[in-house]
Amino acid sequence: MQKTYKTKSYADRQSRCMNTTPTPSMTPTTTMTTTGSASPAAGPVRFDTKIAVLLREDLETWQRLNVTAFLVSGLGTALPEVIGEPYEDADGVRYLSMLRQPVLVFEGTKETLTAAHARVLSRSLPRAVFTSDLFATGNDRDNRAAVRAVPTAGLDVVGLAVHGPRNAVDKVLKGARMHP
């Protein structure tokens, strides 16, 4: 029996990512200072959007990690508003910016991915796709050519990333479960 995604699981996962205690009203809203970082005294930063990655359950561990990295990079490059400020440690050493909110990772069957792909397209949400053909290529040019060679309905989707309002992303992910 497969466990399906529930809002409580999202709140629990998000609270762990933000080191907060989950509450029944864990309705994220963007509350950030002008620098894009939250002051610990100001309370947790909450978001009205969600970033989610959906992976096909039959992928090997290395494939799951690789697909996730590629997919979230697509969102970060197309949606600059999801990128936070650069990091700096106490010694002044600077580090690259990263996504400003947690990325929730889900898994599902091939049928779940196919349905989610159709739903994300019908809702016109920002998305990134990774197909099984990309495991056989070795560079960006060949990756793009491999996707372009297949009609939308024929894509063998093994990974999908989506960003948008929480309720819209939840509808896209219907039938998926949190990645273990």
Side-chain angles (χ1 to χ4, degrees), residues 13-86:
R13 173 73 56 95
Q14 183 183 38
S15 68
R16 279 183 271 149
C17 292
M18 296 188 310
N19 295 323
T20 64
T21 303
T23 63
S25 62
M26 197 80 153
T27 307
T29 55
T30 304
T31 308
M32 300 184 77
T33 64
T34 56
T35 62
S37 60
S39 162
V45 176
R46 299 175 191 244
F47 301 95
D48 57 356
T49 60
K50 182 183 279 189
I51 297 173
V53 173
L54 176 57
L55 303 170
R56 204 161 77 192
E57 66 186 3
D58 60 349
L59 296 179
E60 301 218 16
T61 302
W62 74 266
Q63 292 173 318
R64 290 171 187 249
L65 296 170
N66 185 267
V67 171
T68 300
F70 270 92
L71 290 172
V72 297
S73 72
L75 292 178
T77 58
L79 303 166
E81 67 272 17
V82 302
I83 303 297
E85 296 294 320

Side-chain angles (χ1 to χ4, degrees), residues 1-6 57 107-109 111-112 175-177:
M1 178 184 228
Q2 293 180 349
K3 183 177 179 185
T4 56
Y5 168 75
K6 302 236 187 269
E57 66 186 3
E107 69 176 5
T109 64
E111 295 77 20
T112 301
R177 59 192 176 279

Side-chain angles (χ1 to χ4, degrees), residues 111-130:
E111 295 77 20
T112 301
L113 266 290
T114 300
H117 183 239
R119 287 192 292 265
V120 77
L121 294 176
S122 72
R123 286 174 172 74
S124 300
L125 293 172
R127 71 262 174 195
V129 68
F130 197 103

